Short mmCIF file of all heavy atoms in Angstrom, two decimals:
data_model
loop_
_atom_site.label_atom_id
_atom_site.label_comp_id
_atom_site.label_asym_id
_atom_site.label_seq_id
_atom_site.Cartn_x
_atom_site.Cartn_y
_atom_site.Cartn_z
N MET V 1 -39.44 12.71 -64.47
CA MET V 1 -38.03 12.71 -64.17
C MET V 1 -37.26 12.50 -65.46
O MET V 1 -37.67 11.73 -66.32
CB MET V 1 -37.70 11.59 -63.18
CG MET V 1 -36.23 11.47 -62.90
SD MET V 1 -35.78 10.16 -61.76
CE MET V 1 -36.69 10.63 -60.32
N HIS V 2 -36.15 13.21 -65.55
CA HIS V 2 -35.27 13.04 -66.71
C HIS V 2 -33.83 13.14 -66.21
O HIS V 2 -33.48 14.07 -65.49
CB HIS V 2 -35.55 14.13 -67.75
CG HIS V 2 -34.73 13.98 -68.98
ND1 HIS V 2 -34.98 13.04 -69.95
CD2 HIS V 2 -33.63 14.66 -69.40
CE1 HIS V 2 -34.08 13.15 -70.91
NE2 HIS V 2 -33.25 14.12 -70.60
N LEU V 3 -33.00 12.18 -66.61
CA LEU V 3 -31.58 12.18 -66.26
C LEU V 3 -30.74 12.44 -67.50
O LEU V 3 -31.05 11.92 -68.57
CB LEU V 3 -31.15 10.84 -65.68
CG LEU V 3 -31.62 10.47 -64.29
CD1 LEU V 3 -31.17 9.06 -63.96
CD2 LEU V 3 -31.13 11.44 -63.26
N GLU V 4 -29.69 13.20 -67.32
CA GLU V 4 -28.70 13.42 -68.39
C GLU V 4 -27.32 13.19 -67.78
O GLU V 4 -27.05 13.65 -66.68
CB GLU V 4 -28.76 14.85 -68.90
CG GLU V 4 -30.05 15.24 -69.56
CD GLU V 4 -30.06 16.73 -69.89
OE1 GLU V 4 -29.35 17.11 -70.83
OE2 GLU V 4 -30.74 17.46 -69.17
N ARG V 5 -26.48 12.50 -68.52
CA ARG V 5 -25.09 12.33 -68.08
C ARG V 5 -24.29 13.48 -68.69
O ARG V 5 -24.17 13.60 -69.90
CB ARG V 5 -24.53 11.00 -68.53
CG ARG V 5 -23.14 10.71 -67.96
CD ARG V 5 -22.52 9.44 -68.50
NE ARG V 5 -23.43 8.31 -68.56
CZ ARG V 5 -23.59 7.41 -67.59
NH1 ARG V 5 -22.91 7.52 -66.48
NH2 ARG V 5 -24.42 6.40 -67.74
N ILE V 6 -23.76 14.34 -67.83
CA ILE V 6 -22.98 15.49 -68.27
C ILE V 6 -21.52 15.07 -68.48
O ILE V 6 -20.89 15.43 -69.47
CB ILE V 6 -23.05 16.64 -67.24
CG1 ILE V 6 -24.50 17.00 -66.92
CG2 ILE V 6 -22.28 17.85 -67.71
CD1 ILE V 6 -25.32 17.43 -68.10
N ARG V 7 -21.00 14.32 -67.52
CA ARG V 7 -19.65 13.75 -67.56
C ARG V 7 -19.76 12.37 -66.92
O ARG V 7 -20.79 12.04 -66.36
CB ARG V 7 -18.69 14.63 -66.76
CG ARG V 7 -18.45 15.97 -67.40
CD ARG V 7 -17.31 16.73 -66.72
NE ARG V 7 -17.48 18.14 -67.04
CZ ARG V 7 -17.81 19.07 -66.19
NH1 ARG V 7 -17.97 18.79 -64.91
NH2 ARG V 7 -17.95 20.33 -66.57
N PRO V 8 -18.71 11.57 -66.95
CA PRO V 8 -18.81 10.23 -66.37
C PRO V 8 -19.31 10.20 -64.92
O PRO V 8 -20.01 9.28 -64.53
CB PRO V 8 -17.38 9.69 -66.46
CG PRO V 8 -16.82 10.38 -67.66
CD PRO V 8 -17.41 11.78 -67.62
N THR V 9 -19.00 11.22 -64.15
CA THR V 9 -19.44 11.23 -62.75
C THR V 9 -20.34 12.41 -62.42
O THR V 9 -20.55 12.73 -61.25
CB THR V 9 -18.23 11.26 -61.80
OG1 THR V 9 -17.46 12.43 -62.07
CG2 THR V 9 -17.36 10.02 -61.97
N LYS V 10 -20.91 13.06 -63.43
CA LYS V 10 -21.77 14.21 -63.19
C LYS V 10 -23.07 14.05 -63.98
O LYS V 10 -23.05 13.75 -65.17
CB LYS V 10 -21.06 15.50 -63.62
CG LYS V 10 -21.82 16.75 -63.27
CD LYS V 10 -20.99 17.97 -63.60
CE LYS V 10 -21.71 19.24 -63.22
NZ LYS V 10 -20.88 20.42 -63.52
N TYR V 11 -24.20 14.25 -63.28
CA TYR V 11 -25.51 14.07 -63.89
C TYR V 11 -26.35 15.33 -63.71
O TYR V 11 -26.17 16.08 -62.75
CB TYR V 11 -26.27 12.91 -63.23
CG TYR V 11 -25.60 11.59 -63.41
CD1 TYR V 11 -24.62 11.15 -62.54
CD2 TYR V 11 -25.94 10.77 -64.48
CE1 TYR V 11 -23.99 9.94 -62.72
CE2 TYR V 11 -25.32 9.55 -64.66
CZ TYR V 11 -24.35 9.14 -63.78
OH TYR V 11 -23.72 7.93 -63.94
N ARG V 12 -27.29 15.53 -64.60
CA ARG V 12 -28.31 16.57 -64.45
C ARG V 12 -29.63 15.84 -64.33
O ARG V 12 -29.94 14.96 -65.12
CB ARG V 12 -28.35 17.50 -65.65
CG ARG V 12 -29.46 18.55 -65.54
CD ARG V 12 -29.49 19.48 -66.73
NE ARG V 12 -28.25 20.25 -66.75
CZ ARG V 12 -27.53 20.48 -67.85
NH1 ARG V 12 -27.90 20.01 -69.01
NH2 ARG V 12 -26.41 21.19 -67.78
N ILE V 13 -30.41 16.18 -63.30
CA ILE V 13 -31.70 15.55 -63.09
C ILE V 13 -32.78 16.63 -63.13
O ILE V 13 -32.63 17.69 -62.54
CB ILE V 13 -31.73 14.77 -61.76
CG1 ILE V 13 -33.03 14.03 -61.58
CG2 ILE V 13 -31.47 15.66 -60.57
CD1 ILE V 13 -33.04 13.04 -60.42
N THR V 14 -33.83 16.35 -63.86
CA THR V 14 -34.98 17.25 -63.93
C THR V 14 -36.14 16.54 -63.24
O THR V 14 -36.51 15.43 -63.63
CB THR V 14 -35.35 17.56 -65.39
OG1 THR V 14 -34.20 18.10 -66.04
CG2 THR V 14 -36.49 18.55 -65.46
N LEU V 15 -36.67 17.16 -62.19
CA LEU V 15 -37.75 16.57 -61.41
C LEU V 15 -38.98 17.46 -61.46
O LEU V 15 -38.87 18.68 -61.54
CB LEU V 15 -37.34 16.46 -59.93
CG LEU V 15 -36.18 15.58 -59.57
CD1 LEU V 15 -35.83 15.76 -58.10
CD2 LEU V 15 -36.52 14.14 -59.84
N HIS V 16 -40.13 16.84 -61.35
CA HIS V 16 -41.36 17.58 -61.14
C HIS V 16 -41.33 18.09 -59.70
O HIS V 16 -40.70 17.48 -58.83
CB HIS V 16 -42.55 16.64 -61.36
CG HIS V 16 -43.86 17.33 -61.34
ND1 HIS V 16 -44.49 17.68 -60.17
CD2 HIS V 16 -44.66 17.75 -62.35
CE1 HIS V 16 -45.63 18.29 -60.45
NE2 HIS V 16 -45.75 18.34 -61.78
N SER V 17 -41.99 19.17 -59.44
CA SER V 17 -41.96 19.74 -58.08
C SER V 17 -42.49 18.74 -57.04
O SER V 17 -41.98 18.70 -55.91
CB SER V 17 -42.76 21.04 -58.03
OG SER V 17 -44.09 20.82 -58.43
N TYR V 18 -43.45 17.90 -57.41
CA TYR V 18 -43.95 16.89 -56.46
C TYR V 18 -42.91 15.81 -56.19
O TYR V 18 -42.83 15.28 -55.08
CB TYR V 18 -45.23 16.25 -56.98
CG TYR V 18 -46.42 17.19 -56.99
CD1 TYR V 18 -47.23 17.28 -58.11
CD2 TYR V 18 -46.71 17.99 -55.90
CE1 TYR V 18 -48.31 18.15 -58.13
CE2 TYR V 18 -47.80 18.86 -55.91
CZ TYR V 18 -48.60 18.94 -57.02
OH TYR V 18 -49.66 19.78 -57.04
N GLU V 19 -42.13 15.46 -57.20
CA GLU V 19 -41.07 14.46 -56.99
C GLU V 19 -40.02 15.01 -56.03
O GLU V 19 -39.58 14.31 -55.11
CB GLU V 19 -40.44 14.07 -58.32
CG GLU V 19 -41.38 13.31 -59.23
CD GLU V 19 -40.83 13.12 -60.62
OE1 GLU V 19 -40.17 14.04 -61.16
OE2 GLU V 19 -41.08 12.04 -61.19
N LEU V 20 -39.62 16.26 -56.25
CA LEU V 20 -38.64 16.87 -55.36
C LEU V 20 -39.20 16.99 -53.95
O LEU V 20 -38.50 16.69 -52.97
CB LEU V 20 -38.24 18.26 -55.89
CG LEU V 20 -37.23 19.03 -55.04
CD1 LEU V 20 -35.94 18.24 -54.88
CD2 LEU V 20 -36.98 20.39 -55.65
N ALA V 21 -40.44 17.39 -53.82
CA ALA V 21 -41.06 17.52 -52.49
C ALA V 21 -41.08 16.18 -51.77
O ALA V 21 -40.82 16.11 -50.56
CB ALA V 21 -42.47 18.07 -52.62
N ALA V 22 -41.38 15.10 -52.49
CA ALA V 22 -41.40 13.77 -51.87
C ALA V 22 -40.02 13.37 -51.38
O ALA V 22 -39.87 12.82 -50.28
CB ALA V 22 -41.94 12.74 -52.85
N LEU V 23 -39.00 13.63 -52.18
CA LEU V 23 -37.63 13.29 -51.78
C LEU V 23 -37.18 14.10 -50.56
O LEU V 23 -36.57 13.57 -49.63
CB LEU V 23 -36.67 13.49 -52.95
CG LEU V 23 -36.86 12.53 -54.11
CD1 LEU V 23 -35.96 12.94 -55.28
CD2 LEU V 23 -36.57 11.10 -53.69
N ILE V 24 -37.48 15.39 -50.57
CA ILE V 24 -37.10 16.25 -49.44
C ILE V 24 -37.86 15.84 -48.19
O ILE V 24 -37.29 15.78 -47.09
CB ILE V 24 -37.34 17.73 -49.79
CG1 ILE V 24 -36.43 18.17 -50.94
CG2 ILE V 24 -37.14 18.62 -48.56
CD1 ILE V 24 -34.94 18.01 -50.68
N SER V 25 -39.15 15.53 -48.33
CA SER V 25 -39.94 15.09 -47.18
C SER V 25 -39.38 13.81 -46.59
O SER V 25 -39.30 13.67 -45.36
CB SER V 25 -41.40 14.87 -47.59
OG SER V 25 -41.99 16.08 -47.95
N ALA V 26 -39.02 12.86 -47.44
CA ALA V 26 -38.44 11.61 -46.96
C ALA V 26 -37.12 11.86 -46.25
O ALA V 26 -36.85 11.28 -45.19
CB ALA V 26 -38.25 10.64 -48.12
N ALA V 27 -36.29 12.73 -46.80
CA ALA V 27 -35.01 13.05 -46.17
C ALA V 27 -35.23 13.72 -44.81
O ALA V 27 -34.55 13.39 -43.83
CB ALA V 27 -34.19 13.96 -47.08
N ARG V 28 -36.18 14.64 -44.74
CA ARG V 28 -36.48 15.29 -43.44
C ARG V 28 -36.99 14.27 -42.43
O ARG V 28 -36.61 14.30 -41.25
CB ARG V 28 -37.52 16.40 -43.62
CG ARG V 28 -36.99 17.61 -44.30
CD ARG V 28 -38.03 18.74 -44.26
NE ARG V 28 -37.72 19.77 -45.22
CZ ARG V 28 -36.79 20.70 -45.06
NH1 ARG V 28 -36.06 20.70 -43.97
NH2 ARG V 28 -36.59 21.60 -45.99
N TRP V 29 -37.87 13.39 -42.88
CA TRP V 29 -38.43 12.37 -41.99
C TRP V 29 -37.31 11.50 -41.42
O TRP V 29 -37.27 11.23 -40.22
CB TRP V 29 -39.44 11.54 -42.77
CG TRP V 29 -40.10 10.47 -41.97
CD1 TRP V 29 -41.00 10.63 -40.95
CD2 TRP V 29 -39.92 9.06 -42.12
NE1 TRP V 29 -41.40 9.41 -40.47
CE2 TRP V 29 -40.76 8.42 -41.17
CE3 TRP V 29 -39.16 8.28 -42.97
CZ2 TRP V 29 -40.82 7.04 -41.05
CZ3 TRP V 29 -39.24 6.90 -42.85
CH2 TRP V 29 -40.05 6.30 -41.90
N ILE V 30 -36.37 11.10 -42.28
CA ILE V 30 -35.26 10.26 -41.84
C ILE V 30 -34.35 11.02 -40.88
O ILE V 30 -33.99 10.51 -39.82
CB ILE V 30 -34.47 9.72 -43.05
CG1 ILE V 30 -35.33 8.71 -43.80
CG2 ILE V 30 -33.13 9.11 -42.63
CD1 ILE V 30 -34.80 8.34 -45.17
N THR V 31 -33.99 12.26 -41.22
CA THR V 31 -33.07 13.02 -40.36
C THR V 31 -33.72 13.45 -39.05
O THR V 31 -33.02 13.70 -38.07
CB THR V 31 -32.51 14.26 -41.08
OG1 THR V 31 -33.58 15.11 -41.46
CG2 THR V 31 -31.70 13.86 -42.30
N ASP V 32 -35.05 13.49 -39.02
CA ASP V 32 -35.76 13.82 -37.78
C ASP V 32 -35.96 12.61 -36.88
O ASP V 32 -36.60 12.70 -35.84
CB ASP V 32 -37.12 14.47 -38.08
CG ASP V 32 -36.98 15.89 -38.59
OD1 ASP V 32 -35.90 16.49 -38.44
OD2 ASP V 32 -37.98 16.41 -39.14
N GLY V 33 -35.43 11.46 -37.27
CA GLY V 33 -35.50 10.29 -36.43
C GLY V 33 -36.33 9.16 -36.99
O GLY V 33 -36.30 8.05 -36.46
N ALA V 34 -37.10 9.40 -38.03
CA ALA V 34 -37.88 8.38 -38.74
C ALA V 34 -38.72 7.52 -37.81
O ALA V 34 -38.79 6.31 -37.96
CB ALA V 34 -36.96 7.52 -39.61
N GLU V 35 -39.36 8.14 -36.82
CA GLU V 35 -40.24 7.37 -35.94
C GLU V 35 -41.59 7.21 -36.61
O GLU V 35 -42.06 8.09 -37.32
CB GLU V 35 -40.38 8.08 -34.60
CG GLU V 35 -39.08 8.11 -33.82
CD GLU V 35 -39.22 8.77 -32.48
OE1 GLU V 35 -40.35 8.91 -31.99
OE2 GLU V 35 -38.19 9.14 -31.92
N GLY V 36 -42.19 6.05 -36.41
CA GLY V 36 -43.49 5.79 -37.01
C GLY V 36 -43.33 5.32 -38.44
O GLY V 36 -42.26 4.88 -38.86
N GLU V 37 -44.43 5.39 -39.19
CA GLU V 37 -44.41 4.92 -40.57
C GLU V 37 -44.80 6.05 -41.50
O GLU V 37 -45.53 6.96 -41.13
CB GLU V 37 -45.40 3.78 -40.74
CG GLU V 37 -45.02 2.53 -39.97
CD GLU V 37 -45.97 1.38 -40.25
OE1 GLU V 37 -46.65 1.39 -41.29
OE2 GLU V 37 -46.02 0.47 -39.41
N LEU V 38 -44.29 5.96 -42.72
CA LEU V 38 -44.74 6.89 -43.75
C LEU V 38 -46.17 6.53 -44.15
O LEU V 38 -46.57 5.37 -44.06
CB LEU V 38 -43.86 6.76 -45.00
CG LEU V 38 -42.50 7.43 -44.99
CD1 LEU V 38 -41.74 7.10 -46.27
CD2 LEU V 38 -42.64 8.93 -44.85
N THR V 39 -46.90 7.51 -44.61
CA THR V 39 -48.26 7.22 -45.08
C THR V 39 -48.17 6.35 -46.34
O THR V 39 -47.15 6.32 -47.02
CB THR V 39 -49.02 8.50 -45.42
OG1 THR V 39 -48.37 9.15 -46.51
CG2 THR V 39 -49.10 9.44 -44.23
N ARG V 40 -49.24 5.66 -46.65
CA ARG V 40 -49.29 4.83 -47.85
C ARG V 40 -49.05 5.68 -49.09
O ARG V 40 -48.32 5.29 -49.99
CB ARG V 40 -50.64 4.12 -47.95
CG ARG V 40 -50.76 3.18 -49.13
CD ARG V 40 -52.15 2.58 -49.27
NE ARG V 40 -53.20 3.58 -49.43
CZ ARG V 40 -53.45 4.23 -50.58
NH1 ARG V 40 -52.74 3.99 -51.65
NH2 ARG V 40 -54.43 5.11 -50.65
N GLU V 41 -49.64 6.88 -49.11
CA GLU V 41 -49.48 7.77 -50.26
C GLU V 41 -48.01 8.19 -50.44
O GLU V 41 -47.49 8.20 -51.55
CB GLU V 41 -50.36 9.02 -50.11
CG GLU V 41 -51.83 8.74 -50.18
CD GLU V 41 -52.43 8.30 -48.83
OE1 GLU V 41 -51.73 8.37 -47.80
OE2 GLU V 41 -53.58 7.84 -48.84
N ALA V 42 -47.36 8.51 -49.34
CA ALA V 42 -45.95 8.92 -49.41
C ALA V 42 -45.08 7.76 -49.88
O ALA V 42 -44.17 7.94 -50.69
CB ALA V 42 -45.47 9.43 -48.05
N THR V 43 -45.35 6.57 -49.38
CA THR V 43 -44.60 5.39 -49.79
C THR V 43 -44.78 5.11 -51.27
O THR V 43 -43.82 4.84 -51.99
CB THR V 43 -45.03 4.16 -48.96
OG1 THR V 43 -44.80 4.44 -47.57
CG2 THR V 43 -44.25 2.92 -49.35
N GLU V 44 -46.02 5.21 -51.75
CA GLU V 44 -46.30 4.98 -53.18
C GLU V 44 -45.60 6.04 -54.04
O GLU V 44 -45.06 5.72 -55.10
CB GLU V 44 -47.80 4.98 -53.44
CG GLU V 44 -48.51 3.75 -52.91
CD GLU V 44 -47.96 2.45 -53.49
OE1 GLU V 44 -47.73 2.37 -54.71
OE2 GLU V 44 -47.76 1.50 -52.69
N GLN V 45 -45.62 7.28 -53.60
CA GLN V 45 -44.97 8.35 -54.37
C GLN V 45 -43.46 8.11 -54.46
O GLN V 45 -42.86 8.27 -55.52
CB GLN V 45 -45.26 9.71 -53.74
CG GLN V 45 -44.88 10.87 -54.62
CD GLN V 45 -45.36 12.19 -54.06
OE1 GLN V 45 -45.56 12.34 -52.86
NE2 GLN V 45 -45.50 13.17 -54.92
N LEU V 46 -42.86 7.69 -53.36
CA LEU V 46 -41.42 7.40 -53.37
C LEU V 46 -41.11 6.19 -54.26
O LEU V 46 -40.11 6.18 -54.98
CB LEU V 46 -40.91 7.18 -51.95
CG LEU V 46 -40.85 8.45 -51.10
CD1 LEU V 46 -40.58 8.10 -49.65
CD2 LEU V 46 -39.81 9.42 -51.63
N LYS V 47 -41.97 5.18 -54.25
CA LYS V 47 -41.78 4.03 -55.14
C LYS V 47 -41.84 4.46 -56.60
O LYS V 47 -41.05 4.00 -57.43
CB LYS V 47 -42.84 2.96 -54.87
CG LYS V 47 -42.60 2.15 -53.63
CD LYS V 47 -43.70 1.10 -53.45
CE LYS V 47 -43.53 0.35 -52.16
NZ LYS V 47 -44.61 -0.64 -51.95
N ASP V 48 -42.78 5.36 -56.91
CA ASP V 48 -42.90 5.88 -58.28
C ASP V 48 -41.64 6.62 -58.69
O ASP V 48 -41.16 6.49 -59.82
CB ASP V 48 -44.11 6.79 -58.42
CG ASP V 48 -45.43 6.05 -58.33
OD1 ASP V 48 -45.44 4.80 -58.44
OD2 ASP V 48 -46.47 6.73 -58.14
N ILE V 49 -41.09 7.41 -57.78
CA ILE V 49 -39.87 8.17 -58.07
C ILE V 49 -38.71 7.20 -58.31
O ILE V 49 -37.92 7.38 -59.25
CB ILE V 49 -39.54 9.16 -56.94
CG1 ILE V 49 -40.59 10.27 -56.91
CG2 ILE V 49 -38.13 9.73 -57.09
CD1 ILE V 49 -40.51 11.15 -55.69
N LEU V 50 -38.60 6.17 -57.48
CA LEU V 50 -37.52 5.18 -57.66
C LEU V 50 -37.67 4.44 -58.98
O LEU V 50 -36.67 4.18 -59.68
CB LEU V 50 -37.50 4.20 -56.49
CG LEU V 50 -37.02 4.78 -55.16
CD1 LEU V 50 -37.22 3.78 -54.05
CD2 LEU V 50 -35.57 5.21 -55.26
N THR V 51 -38.89 4.11 -59.36
CA THR V 51 -39.13 3.44 -60.64
C THR V 51 -38.70 4.35 -61.79
O THR V 51 -38.03 3.90 -62.73
CB THR V 51 -40.61 3.05 -60.78
OG1 THR V 51 -40.93 2.13 -59.73
CG2 THR V 51 -40.90 2.41 -62.12
N ALA V 52 -39.08 5.62 -61.73
CA ALA V 52 -38.70 6.58 -62.78
C ALA V 52 -37.19 6.73 -62.83
O ALA V 52 -36.60 6.77 -63.92
CB ALA V 52 -39.37 7.93 -62.53
N TYR V 53 -36.55 6.78 -61.67
CA TYR V 53 -35.09 6.90 -61.62
C TYR V 53 -34.43 5.68 -62.27
O TYR V 53 -33.53 5.82 -63.10
CB TYR V 53 -34.62 7.06 -60.18
CG TYR V 53 -33.12 7.05 -60.04
CD1 TYR V 53 -32.38 8.20 -60.32
CD2 TYR V 53 -32.44 5.90 -59.66
CE1 TYR V 53 -31.00 8.19 -60.21
CE2 TYR V 53 -31.06 5.89 -59.56
CZ TYR V 53 -30.35 7.04 -59.84
OH TYR V 53 -28.98 7.02 -59.75
N ASP V 54 -34.89 4.49 -61.91
CA ASP V 54 -34.31 3.27 -62.47
C ASP V 54 -34.50 3.22 -63.99
O ASP V 54 -33.59 2.82 -64.72
CB ASP V 54 -34.93 2.04 -61.82
CG ASP V 54 -34.51 1.86 -60.37
OD1 ASP V 54 -33.49 2.44 -59.96
OD2 ASP V 54 -35.23 1.15 -59.64
N THR V 55 -35.66 3.63 -64.46
CA THR V 55 -35.94 3.66 -65.90
C THR V 55 -34.99 4.63 -66.61
O THR V 55 -34.41 4.29 -67.65
CB THR V 55 -37.40 4.08 -66.15
OG1 THR V 55 -38.25 3.12 -65.53
CG2 THR V 55 -37.71 4.16 -67.64
N GLU V 56 -34.84 5.81 -66.06
CA GLU V 56 -33.95 6.81 -66.66
C GLU V 56 -32.50 6.36 -66.62
O GLU V 56 -31.74 6.56 -67.57
CB GLU V 56 -34.11 8.16 -65.96
CG GLU V 56 -35.34 8.90 -66.37
CD GLU V 56 -35.29 9.34 -67.82
OE1 GLU V 56 -34.39 10.13 -68.19
OE2 GLU V 56 -36.14 8.88 -68.59
N LEU V 57 -32.09 5.73 -65.53
CA LEU V 57 -30.71 5.26 -65.41
C LEU V 57 -30.42 4.20 -66.47
O LEU V 57 -29.37 4.22 -67.10
CB LEU V 57 -30.47 4.70 -64.01
CG LEU V 57 -29.03 4.53 -63.58
CD1 LEU V 57 -28.27 5.84 -63.66
CD2 LEU V 57 -28.97 3.96 -62.19
N LYS V 58 -31.37 3.30 -66.71
CA LYS V 58 -31.20 2.30 -67.76
C LYS V 58 -31.09 2.98 -69.12
O LYS V 58 -30.29 2.59 -69.96
CB LYS V 58 -32.36 1.31 -67.76
CG LYS V 58 -32.31 0.33 -66.62
CD LYS V 58 -33.53 -0.59 -66.64
CE LYS V 58 -33.55 -1.44 -65.39
NZ LYS V 58 -34.80 -2.22 -65.31
N ARG V 59 -31.93 4.00 -69.34
CA ARG V 59 -31.93 4.70 -70.62
C ARG V 59 -30.58 5.37 -70.89
O ARG V 59 -30.01 5.22 -71.96
CB ARG V 59 -33.04 5.76 -70.67
CG ARG V 59 -33.10 6.51 -71.99
CD ARG V 59 -34.05 7.70 -71.94
NE ARG V 59 -33.70 8.69 -70.95
CZ ARG V 59 -32.73 9.61 -71.11
NH1 ARG V 59 -32.01 9.64 -72.21
NH2 ARG V 59 -32.48 10.48 -70.16
N ILE V 60 -30.04 6.06 -69.89
CA ILE V 60 -28.79 6.79 -70.15
C ILE V 60 -27.58 5.86 -70.18
O ILE V 60 -26.53 6.25 -70.68
CB ILE V 60 -28.55 7.95 -69.16
CG1 ILE V 60 -28.33 7.46 -67.75
CG2 ILE V 60 -29.67 8.96 -69.24
CD1 ILE V 60 -27.89 8.54 -66.79
N ASN V 61 -27.73 4.64 -69.66
CA ASN V 61 -26.61 3.69 -69.68
C ASN V 61 -26.62 2.78 -70.90
O ASN V 61 -25.71 1.98 -71.06
CB ASN V 61 -26.59 2.86 -68.40
CG ASN V 61 -26.06 3.64 -67.23
OD1 ASN V 61 -25.16 4.47 -67.38
ND2 ASN V 61 -26.62 3.41 -66.07
N LYS V 62 -27.63 2.91 -71.76
CA LYS V 62 -27.65 2.12 -73.00
C LYS V 62 -26.53 2.61 -73.91
O LYS V 62 -26.32 3.81 -74.03
CB LYS V 62 -28.98 2.29 -73.72
CG LYS V 62 -30.09 1.46 -73.19
CD LYS V 62 -31.31 1.62 -74.08
CE LYS V 62 -32.48 0.85 -73.53
NZ LYS V 62 -33.69 1.08 -74.35
N PRO V 63 -25.85 1.70 -74.57
CA PRO V 63 -24.83 2.13 -75.52
C PRO V 63 -25.47 2.94 -76.65
O PRO V 63 -26.56 2.61 -77.13
CB PRO V 63 -24.26 0.82 -76.06
CG PRO V 63 -24.69 -0.24 -75.10
CD PRO V 63 -25.94 0.26 -74.45
N ASP V 64 -24.81 3.98 -77.04
CA ASP V 64 -25.29 4.82 -78.14
C ASP V 64 -24.92 4.13 -79.46
O ASP V 64 -23.76 3.94 -79.75
CB ASP V 64 -24.64 6.21 -78.07
CG ASP V 64 -25.16 7.16 -79.11
OD1 ASP V 64 -25.90 6.75 -80.03
OD2 ASP V 64 -24.84 8.37 -79.00
N PRO V 65 -25.92 3.75 -80.27
CA PRO V 65 -25.61 3.05 -81.52
C PRO V 65 -24.86 3.93 -82.51
O PRO V 65 -24.20 3.42 -83.42
CB PRO V 65 -26.99 2.66 -82.08
CG PRO V 65 -27.96 3.56 -81.39
CD PRO V 65 -27.34 3.94 -80.08
N ASN V 66 -24.91 5.24 -82.34
CA ASN V 66 -24.21 6.16 -83.22
C ASN V 66 -22.76 6.38 -82.81
O ASN V 66 -21.97 6.95 -83.55
CB ASN V 66 -24.92 7.51 -83.28
CG ASN V 66 -26.32 7.36 -83.83
OD1 ASN V 66 -26.55 6.60 -84.78
ND2 ASN V 66 -27.26 8.05 -83.24
N GLU V 67 -22.43 5.94 -81.61
CA GLU V 67 -21.08 6.14 -81.08
C GLU V 67 -20.21 4.97 -81.51
O GLU V 67 -20.55 3.81 -81.31
CB GLU V 67 -21.12 6.24 -79.56
CG GLU V 67 -19.81 6.63 -78.94
CD GLU V 67 -19.96 6.77 -77.43
OE1 GLU V 67 -20.72 7.65 -77.01
OE2 GLU V 67 -19.32 5.99 -76.73
N GLN V 68 -19.06 5.28 -82.13
CA GLN V 68 -18.15 4.23 -82.58
C GLN V 68 -17.18 3.91 -81.48
O GLN V 68 -16.64 4.78 -80.81
CB GLN V 68 -17.38 4.68 -83.82
CG GLN V 68 -18.27 4.89 -85.02
CD GLN V 68 -17.46 5.35 -86.22
OE1 GLN V 68 -16.31 5.74 -86.09
NE2 GLN V 68 -18.07 5.32 -87.38
N SER V 69 -16.96 2.61 -81.27
CA SER V 69 -15.97 2.21 -80.27
C SER V 69 -14.60 2.18 -80.92
O SER V 69 -14.46 1.88 -82.10
CB SER V 69 -16.33 0.85 -79.67
OG SER V 69 -16.37 -0.12 -80.70
N THR V 70 -13.59 2.48 -80.14
CA THR V 70 -12.22 2.49 -80.68
C THR V 70 -11.42 1.36 -80.14
O THR V 70 -11.70 0.75 -79.19
CB THR V 70 -11.50 3.81 -80.36
OG1 THR V 70 -11.52 4.01 -78.95
CG2 THR V 70 -12.15 4.95 -81.09
#
């Protein structure tokens, strides 16, 4: 996963096809009523995606040392 801030409220996200598939599967599961439990593998994959997202979000929110404040 890779995040880029295009504008203050606009982002570009690059996902591996498996990451996108996991997110879409989770969304379908939820919109279909979310009965039962996700498999352990699906839960782990979603946790990995959330970890990658949090890591990327921290990276893009770090102040740029080359940017001068006014």
